[in-house]
Amino acid sequence: MNTFLSMLPGSLMVAAPIIICALGGLLSERSGITNIALEGIMTVGAFVSAALLFYLEKVPGFGSGLGCWVAVLAGAFGGMLFSTLLAIAAIRYKSDQTIAGAALNMLSVALCIYISQILFGHQRTDTFTTGITRIKKVPLLGDIPIIGPLLFQGINPTIYVAVVLVVIVWFVVFKTRFGLRLRSCGENPQASASLGVKVEKIRTIAVLASGFLGGMAGALMVLTTDTQFTASSIHGMGFISLAALIFGKWQPFGALGAGIFFGFAQQLGVYANMIPLLNQLPSEFFHAIPYVITIIALVLFSSKAVGPRAAGQIYDPGQR
Amino acid sequence: MISLKEKRWIPFLAVILGLVAGTLIVILSGRSPLIMFATFIKAGTGIDLLKGGTFNPRLVGEFLVTTMPILMGGLSISFAYRTGLFNIGAEGQIIAGGVAAIGAGFFIPIDNQFIHSTICVLAGCLAGALWGLIPGLLKARFNVHEVVVGIMLNYTAMYSANWLYKQMPLNQMTRTENVPVSATLNVDFLRQLTNNSRLHLGFIHVIIALFLFWLIIEKTSFGYQLRATGFNKEGARFAGIKVKRNLVYSLMIAGAFAGLGGALLTLGTYGYGRVITAFDNVGFDGISVALVGGCTMLGNLFAGLLFGLMKVAQPALQIASIPKEIGDIISSLIVLLVALQYAIVLYRNKIRDWFKKARGQK
Amino acid sequence: METVIEMKGITKQFPGILANDSIDLEVTKGSIHALLGENGAGKSTLMSILFGLIQPDSGNIKINGQEVKITDPNVATRLGIGMVHQHFKLVHNFTVTQNIILGAEPCKQFGIVDLKQGTKKIRELCKSFHLEVDPEALIEDISVGQQQRTEILKMLYREAEILVFDEPTAVLTPQEVEDLMKILRSLAASGKTVVLITHKLKEIKAVADVVTILRRGKVEGTYKVSEINEKEMAAKMVGRQVQFAAHKKAQKAGDTILQVENLTVLDGRGIERVKGISFDLHKGEILGIAGIDGNGQDELVYAITGLLPVKSGRILLNGEDITELPVKNRFEAGLGHVPSDRHRHGLILDFLLKENFIIHAYNSDFAKHGLLDEATINQKADQLIEEFDVRASLGRQTITRNMSGGNQQKAIVAREIDRSPELLIIVQPTRGLDVGAIEYIHSRILEQRENQKAILLVSFELDEILALCDRILVMANGEISGEKKASQTDEKQLGLLMLGHKSGETYDQP
């Protein structure tokens, strides 16, 4: 139990970017655009925030706290900017979404490292010193018995951001007019268009929002677990997010659960040697868990198609 | 609709536009594009224009060494694509092939290099095929999309392979001992011929693979079924073609091609197994090769050489103080441009109309 | 009598075809106005122009006396024009209400959708127009008829005054057709204007006030339905007396080729579509399956050809039980199949023509040791092209997609007939073809009959069935509602059987 408790903060820290990026994927896929490029979007977000933070730290007033959150925001906008490429390719010019996404993933790392080389002279950004750190205790909430010490003391605040975003995304997707239209575009864009819904506009907004969230996730990832951006800063977290999205059945709270679960699985790899039985297993086993579980989940879900029906298909308004 | 005729020249245009974009990026970052192109030429032909046209055969050897696995990745993606499948899992199949080949190298004691290395290569093919069998079966049996399964299997392969390598004789934590020479594809003759490059016998396997790809897809009745399935699944089913079985076979054969690529990488290029924390991207480069090559045998060959060049030139670029990632940037831009074929045709037509109008006004 | 729609001189040219040739159309408020014409006569093009999906090359449109430019469907909606498409545009996992309000959602503050208010309004609409559908049901759980009502409600919700129905009965059961006719009448009675696109004469007789007949992109005439009979309408529609030039020779049917015994088939969703059907088919006989689309014909054909599993019953070909055989083995056992959808099922459109010819024998007649035998393939292709007059710009090397529909169909017929199958199953062989191609295909089918082959012809066109068949089975709701000799029946009697009246003949003489 003690081991479990000591794993919790770390698990939630890893889970936060997975959840946020999965939410981005959710918006994109619910609108009908498969977003394989999440990995690349996270990479760009991580790079932008890490590079900016390095410079910001030299600016008086941005040294602690503020600078990090400015960098996160910048990372989010960086991701959004990068996702416009996907929007242009997949929506405006009807490219194959998988291929465009794969190309963007390759481009992202190359571009970020290239710029690092130009700016910093080596294949990574220079190190920043602050980063986002755990808060000792959340006022009021931290005083609640049992739950307080567990969830509101010594926890990295990024998970709170993730939970708030889950609620926001859930609300937008399932309660608002925009959400209804978004979901209709992901299921049957021809139906949406016949009722005057601007499919391409909605999808563009969704992809850009997904870029924003993906970029933010990348930024949080690098600012919580690293001190600089390198080619392996994201190391498949974008794809884990995709897995969390699928494992969470394309539902915001599902993504939350799946994200925490995957975060836990990752931490288990670190803590396994302290746990009897589990210490017999190699760390690679824990790294592979999210991916294997997602494949199993896909098989289990397969009898009932749960993903958005039109996701990945090219929408051509000319074809009726 | 984009006609077939247009589809043929789109890759050429994409390559040119990709190179132009890369040139612009290099200029914008204050480096010399001339040096970049000279480096590309040097890496591709061994002739160094900046040093008065001196020739170094080692560079040609290295160029081929780098190209071969990428080309196999391309064949793997292409084979599946002709059946209507997107084998994004090639990366994992390459890893599976690599680890199986090394395993066979360590644990099957045969002294004859021809026999031993052939067994190792075949073990690689088999492992790749089995790794391709998984998404194939899941697709056929449960209709699970091969792209998502493929992505997940890539990581699963990486971590599994890392663990397997750690069970083999280790040199450091990040690599195994060298496999016995009998298992490798290296021969002194090729090394001497190319001024000590890593060029190995794998080129023979690649030529055989290219031939088999062409023969199976274009010339056999089995390939006919696969192509029919790729163009129109329902139509194939109506004609009595066993679509699901073909999907499985197709991904297995694609996996075998990728597995061969992995074996060439471990048995030829390195001679040992590596514990990796990030992908080599050989499979993802294969996507580029297949797309630009139009999934044909000849197209793959040329595109493979192109992307091999973009890869092998990187260390030399870095030495010439051009960040080596420019090679990857150009490669990915080319792929993006091929994906944007609709836009390319659109703007070509616009430009053509504009010229026509301009001429009409005169 | 107010004129609500006035279209004048509408012309629309598509590559290779003049779809609308200066068409004039006037529709009176509160009427049911039918647009009658064969496939390709220009009805759908005209209505797509009215709904803003297509822009005309010339001509103008007045709605309620105002000249308008309908640039897209939103403009049409604003003008009070609504359209029920042939293929419903519904989101399968949304509720009826969500589908209806999409794009015009009632909202509380912050853009929150007010589902309650939407549901309430829809219930009211259901009541006042006698539409039975549960607003809170999911689309995937309700019947096709209810889905169509959802489409109608979409328009009523948007307060459309003009409602266009594109072939609305094609997908309905006879009972649902009845209901739809009632709905149409109640819509007109409440002052809405209904435009009905159809090629079914009975429906026009049943509900329409006025009919405008189109032929080859031109208006053939506009008539009061009460002043024109079905035969006259048919003649105007096709431009000549309806009679296919098929001359059957009298001949005796031979041995039994196909036996279907108590066949029950479920469709992909597990719904029973064929309910315990039995029949025989003999050498030298053409057996027709008549019926309205969607009454189990597809499932019957798929079961015989091996594309759908059989739930119970047996299928015997030449006395051999083929019920469990895979598709390919059935073809080898002497079955030929000309499917209804040649683009999806009959051809691989991206293949070369010659590659399409060998799709049944790519690994037997046209292969040696697993390698394709190019010489034999080319020879066969040239022979079929010559023999069946298949026209393709590059001959056997033509990409099939680039051929005309008629020539594509000829290619399929050539391939199937050339294999000389004992049993030839032909579904909708002349859909969308021009008269020349139709006559050619018909003559080829009759030739097979003379060659003592057994032919199962499934068609929704009664005149095609009557002209070609020896015997006719009528399918309604998955059952055989009647069997007639072609020489002893007519459209009227078959029509009643198609509606499921099992006692077709007695109904005829009350």
Side-chain angles (χ1 to χ4, degrees):
Chain A
M1 193 60 196
N2 273 336
T3 324
F4 172 81
L5 287 181
S6 54
M7 275 174 66
L8 192 65
S11 303
L12 295 180
M13 182 181 80
V14 177
I18 297 177
I19 295 162
I20 294 171
C21 188
L23 290 176
L26 187 145
L27 290 175
S28 174
E29 302 224 337
R30 283 274 186 179
S31 84
I33 303 290
T34 297
N35 197 342
I36 301 277
L38 286 174
E39 176 85 8
I41 290 170
M42 275 185 88
T43 304
V44 171
F47 165 72
V48 170
S49 63
L52 185 69
L53 185 58
F54 169 76
Y55 290 117
L56 272 182
E57 282 176 340
K58 294 174 184 153
V59 181
F62 286 94
S64 63
L66 182 61
C68 286
W69 294 104
V70 171
V72 168
L73 210 59
F77 279 105
M80 189 159 100
L81 195 68
F82 192 67
S83 71
T84 52
L85 287 174
L86 179 65
I88 291 170
I91 303 167
R92 176 78 179 83
Y93 293 117
K94 305 172 180 58
S95 304
D96 184 303
Q97 294 162 17
T98 310
I99 293 171
L104 289 177
N105 283 339
M106 287 188 268
L107 181 62
S108 66
V109 180
L111 203 60
C112 292
I113 301 294
Y114 184 93
I115 299 173
S116 293
Q117 291 224 40
I118 299 292
L119 291 180
F120 304 103
H122 39 74
Q123 287 171 278
R124 55 195 183 275
T125 65
D126 283 340
T127 54
F128 49 83
T129 50
T130 48
I132 300 174
T133 48
R134 296 176 183 185
I135 30 181
K136 277 214 184 87
K137 193 168 109 179
V138 181
L140 294 177
L141 293 173
D143 295 325
I144 304 172
I146 306 174
I147 301 175
L150 202 61
L151 296 176
F152 298 103
Q153 290 182 17
I155 297 280
N156 203 304
T158 51
I159 188 68
Y160 306 138
V161 177
V163 172
V164 169
L165 284 170
V166 166
V167 175
I168 293 176
V169 167
W170 170 80
F171 180 80
V172 169
V173 169
F174 292 101
K175 292 291 156 193
T176 68
R177 167 166 44 185
F178 175 78
L180 189 73
R181 295 179 181 186
L182 177 94
R183 283 184 288 141
S184 75
C185 292
E187 299 290 348
N188 188 344
Q190 280 78 15
S192 324
S194 73
L195 294 175
V197 173
K198 300 232 173 345
V199 176
E200 294 176 338
K201 188 174 142 197
I202 295 232
R203 287 184 167 186
T204 305
I205 293 172
V207 169
L208 294 191
S210 127
F212 186 88
L213 291 173
M216 179 188 281
L220 293 179
M221 171 98 198
V222 76
L223 296 191
T224 51
T225 62
D226 219 335
T227 56
Q228 62 182 171
F229 170 83
T230 68
S232 56
S233 277
I234 299 304
H235 64 266
M237 278 298 156
F239 288 121
I240 291 212
S241 306
L242 195 66
L245 172 65
I246 295 165
F247 191 49
K249 291 195 175 186
W250 286 267
Q251 300 283 345
F253 288 100
L256 177 67
I260 291 173
F261 179 70
F262 289 166
F264 227 85
Q266 299 261 312
Q267 281 297 296
L268 217 51
V270 181
Y271 282 83
N273 55 357
M274 301 203 274
I275 304 169
L277 286 180
L278 288 188
N279 57 12
Q280 308 290 315
L281 293 167
S283 67
E284 285 84 3
F285 174 82
F286 299 99
H287 284 296
I289 276 184
Y291 306 107
V292 176
I293 290 220
T294 300
I295 295 174
I296 294 168
L298 277 169
V299 172
L300 293 179
F301 298 165
S302 65
S303 57
K304 203 175 164 219
V306 287
R309 214 175 244 193
Q313 287 168 10
I314 294 167
Y315 169 65
D316 187 350
Q319 279 174 0
R320 281 173 194 276
Chain B
M1 262 329 272
I2 297 168
S3 73
L4 269 177
K5 209 172 156 191
E6 281 171 328
K7 280 207 163 134
R8 270 185 209 135
W9 58 257
I10 281 170
F12 292 101
L13 207 58
V15 169
I16 293 169
L17 287 174
L19 284 170
V20 169
T23 309
L24 288 177
I25 292 172
V26 168
I27 293 173
L28 278 177
S29 44
R31 308 294 201 269
S32 160
L34 286 179
I35 292 178
M36 176 178 81
F37 280 107
T39 310
F40 283 147
I41 290 169
K42 185 175 81 175
T45 62
I47 299 168
D48 191 345
L49 294 174
L50 298 174
K51 287 184 186 156
T54 50
F55 174 70
N56 184 353
R58 192 178 61 82
L59 298 176
V60 180
E62 285 297 320
F63 173 36
L64 294 177
V65 167
T66 311
T67 300
M68 288 191 283
I70 296 177
L71 182 48
M72 292 314 304
L75 285 185
S76 172
I77 308 275
S78 297
F79 196 89
Y81 209 80
R82 293 293 284 270
T83 323
L85 295 163
F86 193 57
N87 185 25
I88 206 165
E91 188 78 38
Q93 293 148 15
I94 287 169
I95 294 172
V99 73
I102 290 290
F106 279 124
F107 299 114
I108 299 177
I110 299 174
D111 286 335
N112 181 309
Q113 186 177 13
F114 174 74
I115 298 173
H116 194 189
S117 68
T118 304
I119 288 175
C120 292
V121 166
L122 289 178
C125 293
L126 185 67
L130 289 176
W131 210 247
L133 175 67
I134 301 172
L137 276 182
L138 295 185
K139 173 103 181 175
R141 178 72 184 77
F142 300 105
N143 199 24
V144 178
H145 205 293
E146 76 278 5
V147 166
V148 184
V149 176
I151 290 172
M152 301 304 150
L153 281 175
N154 286 344
Y155 286 95
T156 311
M158 181 167 86
Y159 292 118
S160 309
N162 283 352
W163 180 77
L164 284 169
Y165 280 132
K166 286 179 186 169
Q167 313 310 308
M168 296 178 197
L170 271 188
N171 178 291
Q172 305 155 26
M173 275 313 284
T174 54
R175 55 160 288 192
T176 67
E177 290 286 352
N178 288 332
V179 280
V181 178
S182 59
T184 69
L185 299 166
N186 300 315
V187 284
D188 287 339
F189 166 69
L190 289 172
R191 201 173 296 145
Q192 283 153 12
L193 191 71
T194 58
N195 187 16
N196 271 324
S197 84
R198 292 178 292 177
L199 185 63
H200 53 81
L201 288 171
F203 74 91
I204 299 170
H205 302 88
V206 171
I207 291 170
I208 295 172
L210 280 168
F211 174 75
L212 281 177
F213 175 91
W214 171 81
L215 188 78
I216 296 173
I217 283 286
E218 312 284 355
K219 293 291 154 191
T220 64
S221 54
F222 173 61
Y224 174 91
Q225 295 181 51
L226 296 184
R227 285 185 289 131
T229 308
F231 281 134
N232 180 350
K233 261 189 212 124
E234 275 293 290
R237 205 168 73 88
F238 261 66
I241 291 174
K242 296 204 166 69
V243 170
K244 289 186 172 179
R245 191 192 290 177
N246 282 333
L247 295 182
V248 178
Y249 286 157
S250 172
L251 276 174
M252 281 186 78
I253 294 173
F257 280 127
L260 172 59
L264 297 183
L265 207 55
T266 50
L267 299 176
T269 312
Y270 295 107
Y272 52 85
R274 296 165 308 134
V275 175
I276 51 175
T277 54
F279 294 127
D280 292 332
N281 283 339
V282 177
F284 291 111
D285 287 329
I287 298 174
S288 318
V289 171
L291 274 177
V292 174
C295 297
T296 63
M297 185 268 276
L298 269 184
N300 267 286
L301 179 58
F302 288 120
L305 289 168
L306 174 76
F307 287 103
L309 181 63
M310 291 295 132
K311 197 131 249 201
V312 77
Q314 291 190 5
L317 286 166
Q318 188 76 26
I319 290 166
S321 83
I322 297 173
K324 69 188 180 73
E325 286 72 25
I326 191 67
D328 292 338
I329 291 181
I330 293 175
S331 298
S332 48
L333 283 177
I334 291 173
V335 180
L336 194 60
L337 284 160
V338 173
L340 279 167
Q341 46 185 281
Y342 177 84
I344 292 188
V345 172
L346 194 76
Y347 285 107
R348 187 208 54 168
N349 291 347
K350 269 191 187 165
I351 292 169
R352 198 172 51 189
D353 293 349
W354 185 80
F355 269 112
K356 262 187 199 158
K357 227 182 239 170
R359 213 174 297 154
Q361 277 167 354
K362 273 180 197 170
Chain C
M1 289 290 242
E2 254 175 275
T3 301
V4 59
I5 307 171
E6 193 179 346
M7 299 177 89
K8 264 217 147 42
I10 301 290
T11 298
K12 179 69 191 179
Q13 173 93 46
F14 285 122
I17 174 173
L18 192 56
N20 283 177
D21 186 358
S22 62
I23 286 185
D24 296 339
L25 179 71
E26 272 186 36
V27 180
T28 314
K29 187 170 168 58
S31 69
I32 299 180
H33 194 123
L35 271 185
L36 174 68
E38 285 186 298
N39 289 327
K43 323 174 286 246
S44 292
T45 306
L46 187 66
M47 285 304 112
S48 296
I49 288 171
L50 181 66
F51 196 58
L53 292 168
I54 301 176
Q55 299 308 309
D57 300 333
S58 63
N60 53 49
I61 305 172
K62 281 185 189 168
I63 301 293
N64 294 321
Q66 295 281 320
E67 177 142 0
V68 290
K69 279 255 173 301
I70 306 175
T71 46
D72 68 75
N74 294 332
V75 177
T77 307
R78 245 173 280 141
L79 290 167
I81 304 169
M83 189 154 173
V84 173
H85 300 272
Q86 200 174 351
H87 303 286
F88 303 151
K89 294 179 186 287
L90 295 169
V91 180
H92 71 107
N93 58 358
F94 275 18
T95 63
V96 169
T97 300
Q98 285 174 324
N99 266 288
I100 292 168
I101 64 174
L102 181 65
E105 304 86 350
C107 278
K108 302 183 232 175
Q109 68 244 42
F110 311 123
I112 303 171
V113 177
D114 191 346
L115 271 181
K116 259 193 200 137
Q117 198 198 323
T119 308
K120 197 176 137 218
K121 189 170 169 192
I122 289 161
R123 281 196 207 284
E124 283 163 15
L125 286 171
C126 286
K127 213 177 240 171
S128 51
F129 290 96
H130 311 292
L131 293 160
E132 260 176 65
V133 57
D134 173 9
E136 276 156 5
L138 287 178
I139 291 298
E140 58 193 351
D141 296 336
I142 62 178
S143 72
V144 173
Q146 288 170 321
Q147 291 178 2
Q148 189 173 58
R149 277 169 235 160
T150 308
E151 287 282 3
I152 297 171
L153 281 163
K154 271 189 192 171
M155 300 189 294
L156 297 175
Y157 182 84
R158 285 164 178 72
E159 290 165 0
E161 290 299 319
I162 301 163
L163 296 94
V164 182
F165 289 82
D166 187 2
E167 303 275 358
T169 57
V171 288
L172 298 184
T173 65
Q175 183 52 44
E176 286 173 330
V177 172
E178 284 289 309
D179 293 343
L180 177 68
M181 295 297 146
K182 275 184 209 148
I183 293 167
L184 294 184
R185 279 189 213 108
S186 95
L187 287 170
S190 67
K192 309 269 181 197
T193 308
V194 174
V195 179
L196 180 66
I197 304 175
T198 184
H199 60 249
K200 290 179 183 158
L201 307 171
K202 282 185 196 70
E203 289 165 13
I204 295 178
K205 266 300 193 193
V207 292
D209 304 309
V210 183
V211 56
T212 294
I213 303 173
L214 296 184
R215 186 161 68 88
R216 292 198 193 147
K218 283 189 177 155
V219 173
E220 198 57 33
T222 297
Y223 309 89
K224 280 202 170 135
V225 171
S226 54
E227 291 167 6
I228 186 169
N229 65 30
E230 287 186 28
K231 226 177 193 165
E232 288 164 337
M233 280 196 272
K236 303 270 183 209
M237 179 167 91
V238 293
R240 61 187 156 101
Q241 287 307 111
V242 185
Q243 197 167 52
F244 286 109
H247 294 294
K248 287 186 295 212
K249 286 183 192 148
Q251 73 182 40
K252 270 206 118 113
D255 303 339
T256 305
I257 294 292
L258 175 72
Q259 282 169 273
V260 171
E261 294 173 1
N262 286 320
L263 191 69
T264 298
V265 187
L266 309 183
D267 69 6
R269 295 167 58 198
I271 298 166
E272 197 172 272
R273 290 312 194 116
V274 176
K275 302 170 183 167
I277 278 185
S278 303
F279 62 86
D280 291 347
L281 172 56
H282 307 95
K283 270 189 178 177
E285 183 187 40
I286 303 182
L287 176 64
I289 304 277
I292 299 164
D293 194 1
N295 275 278
Q297 300 98 316
D298 283 348
E299 286 77 11
L300 174 65
V301 169
Y302 291 170
I304 299 174
T305 49
L307 294 157
L308 264 185
V310 166
K311 185 170 174 248
S312 63
R314 289 203 307 166
I315 304 163
L316 304 176
L317 182 61
N318 263 329
E320 184 200 348
D321 190 340
I322 61 164
T323 319
E324 301 289 328
L325 283 187
V327 179
K328 192 145 189 58
N329 301 42
R330 299 192 197 205
F331 279 119
E332 278 155 12
L335 183 143
H337 181 197
V338 178
S340 60
D341 187 338
R342 56 181 166 269
H343 286 177
R344 270 183 66 205
H345 299 151
L347 294 166
I348 310 289
L349 287 177
D350 295 295
F351 263 179
L352 300 177
L353 178 56
K354 67 173 181 180
E355 291 178 305
N356 265 310
F357 281 137
I358 63 167
I359 203 152
H360 294 303
Y362 55 85
N363 55 1
S364 48
D365 300 355
F366 301 108
K368 276 184 195 149
H369 317 297
L371 293 179
L372 293 173
D373 179 356
E374 291 291 334
T376 316
I377 293 169
N378 290 343
Q379 201 186 350
K380 174 56 81 181
D382 289 342
Q383 176 214 325
L384 291 181
I385 289 170
E386 164 94 37
E387 207 179 305
F388 287 79
D389 190 31
V390 182
R391 301 206 186 136
S393 55
L394 300 173
R396 62 179 189 237
Q397 302 288 356
T398 312
I399 290 173
T400 316
R401 190 183 288 283
N402 298 339
M403 292 163 49
S404 73
N407 282 303
Q408 289 174 348
Q409 186 72 338
K410 280 185 190 172
I412 299 175
V413 170
R415 177 180 75 204
E416 299 300 325
I417 287 182
D418 181 63
R419 291 172 44 241
S420 186
E422 293 288 312
L423 167 66
L424 189 56
I425 298 176
I426 308 181
V427 187
Q428 287 283 67
T430 55
R431 184 163 70 174
L433 301 191
D434 63 46
V435 178
I438 291 175
E439 278 170 3
Y440 183 83
I441 303 241
H442 282 175
S443 71
R444 282 292 181 165
I445 294 173
L446 287 174
E447 190 183 275
Q448 288 304 296
R449 173 176 172 268
E450 279 163 38
N451 293 341
Q452 290 298 311
K453 306 294 180 196
I455 294 152
L456 186 68
L457 174 70
V458 180
S459 177
F460 310 133
E461 316 294 336
L462 282 184
D463 32 11
E464 180 167 55
I465 294 250
L466 281 166
L468 294 177
C469 298
D470 297 293
R471 226 162 19 108
I472 301 165
L473 297 176
V474 183
M475 274 187 85
N477 206 12
E479 294 171 341
I480 291 177
S481 58
E483 179 181 338
K484 296 284 159 204
K485 282 216 162 96
S487 51
Q488 293 164 9
T489 186
D490 57 18
E491 279 203 29
K492 211 169 171 187
Q493 193 180 37
L494 292 177
L496 284 169
L497 287 168
M498 280 160 67
L499 296 176
H501 299 293
K502 288 213 176 181
S503 46
E505 49 247 280
T506 52
Y507 196 92
D508 217 9
Q509 302 144 338

